Amino acid sequence: MQQTLTKKDFASDQEVRWCPGCGDYAILATVQKALPELGLAPHNVVFVSGIGCSGRFPYYMNTYGFHGIHGRAPGIATGLKLARPDLSVWVVTGDGDALSIGGNHFIHALRRNVDLNVLLFNNRIYGLTKGQYSPTSLPGTKSKSSPFGSVDAPFNPLSVAIGAGASFVARAIDVDIKHLGQIVKRAAAYKGTSLVEIYQNCLVFNDKAFDDVENRATRADSAVYLEHGKPLVFGADGNKGIRLNGLLPEVVTIGENGVTEADLVVHDEHAPDPGYAFMLAQMLPPAFPTPIGVLREVERPTYDASVRAQIDSAIEKRGPGDLKKLIYSGEIWTVNEGDAV
């Protein structure tokens, strides 16, 4: 008789030690709920993390887990997926972990399209190390490392991802649990590297960083929820939309100046050219509502499947390898005890 798994089966016995009110709690609960709904079993799931508050995520999951060093989670996860393609492999990272020291590992996992699920918690601050500005902090951010305000131009994680060739790119909000759960399940079902940027509030060091979309009172006017095949409509009254003016998007009001819903951009998450998804990623407040949902989902070969196919082809042509024979091939030396070095 097959056991029906629930959220409790994916929760470890470890005490969760994030700050009270941290957005990580909502993300953890959502993922623990989504995995059994996907039909996954704990022994077939692995979470890999780097450094930062998000790095504690694997401790709280009753699955296999690996807490790596700063920014290296994508590399560890890539090796794991190559060795065990049967596992569902997840990378949990933060804006500092993924986009500073881990920047190279992040973009190369995306360009290779390894079959991984990457959850990027973005709170625009280094929370674990007490509030330095991060690669996504906005200019002018005053922190312990920028007391007069940051002068750095921030990374846009989704623009970076699309530029690196990412084929599944999405954005969600920690407090919109229902929608976050839908996005997590879509990411898990995708074959390739799925990236979900999750706006996550850090109550202690960067509270209300995304208040315009986290606050229910302002969200309708500040966010446009993406649905494939449907026009980009938003607003508390549902009367605002995004139209193209030449190559550039603009906000319009339906019913004014002859604008109808037929004039609006219709969302196409499967557009083969990344230009449309890049345009969405560049739509930022205050000029535009923040796009929430799947910006891009296109199919392309995965790195791990291609590597396995290459190995199988080589074995078919040359037979199984012999590691000892390989090591002792070519010029070798024997160093005896007492030989001069």
Side-chain angles (χ1 to χ4, degrees), residues 137-180:
S137 295
L138 297 178
T141 296
K142 291 186 178 180
S143 69
K144 291 185 177 180
S145 57
S146 57
F148 303 107
S150 168
V151 296
D152 280 11
F155 263 136
N156 179 326
L158 298 191
S159 293
V160 172
I162 294 166
S167 42
F168 184 103
V169 177
R171 180 186 285 133
I173 311 169
D174 55 358
V175 295
D176 192 349
I177 295 172
K178 183 178 178 181
H179 181 263
L180 173 60

Side-chain angles (χ1 to χ4, degrees), residues 48-223:
V48 185
S49 67
I51 298 300
C53 298
S54 64
R56 300 193 62 80
F57 201 93
Y59 292 106
Y60 308 138
M61 296 296 298
N62 184 32
T63 63
Y64 289 105
F66 196 112
H67 189 168
I69 58 176
H70 210 153
R72 268 55 171 182
I76 297 166
T78 297
L80 175 60
K81 189 65 184 181
L82 286 170
R84 289 291 305 272
D86 55 310
L87 298 178
S88 176
V89 182
W90 298 70
V91 171
V92 179
T93 184
D95 47 300
D97 185 59
L99 299 169
S100 56
I101 291 179
N104 257 356
H105 298 271
F106 177 70
I107 61 174
H108 289 297
L110 293 167
R111 78 171 172 86
R112 287 171 173 152
N113 199 32
V114 188
D115 188 19
L116 307 173
N117 311 300
V118 182
L119 304 179
L120 196 165
F121 299 8
N122 183 6
N123 56 18
R124 290 178 173 165
I125 206 75
Y126 283 100
L128 187 67
T129 47
K130 309 295 186 252
Q132 300 94 333
Y133 77 97
S134 84
T136 58
S137 295
L138 297 178
T141 296
K142 291 186 178 180
S143 69
K144 291 185 177 180
S145 57
S146 57
F148 303 107
S150 168
V151 296
D152 280 11
F155 263 136
N156 179 326
L158 298 191
S159 293
V160 172
I162 294 166
S167 42
F168 184 103
V169 177
R171 180 186 285 133
I173 311 169
D174 55 358
V175 295
D176 192 349
I177 295 172
K178 183 178 178 181
H179 181 263
L180 173 60
Q182 294 170 354
I183 296 299
V184 166
K185 286 190 276 190
R186 284 196 60 183
Y190 179 73
K191 280 291 180 187
T193 306
S194 59
L195 170 66
V196 182
E197 178 191 25
I198 305 172
Y199 281 175
Q200 177 258 331
N201 193 43
C202 177
L203 190 68
V204 176
F205 295 108
N206 201 20
D207 190 24
K208 301 185 185 304
F210 302 103
D211 191 52
D212 56 339
V213 293
E214 296 231 348
N215 191 328
R216 287 188 178 185
T218 57
R219 187 183 303 163
D221 285 317
S222 304

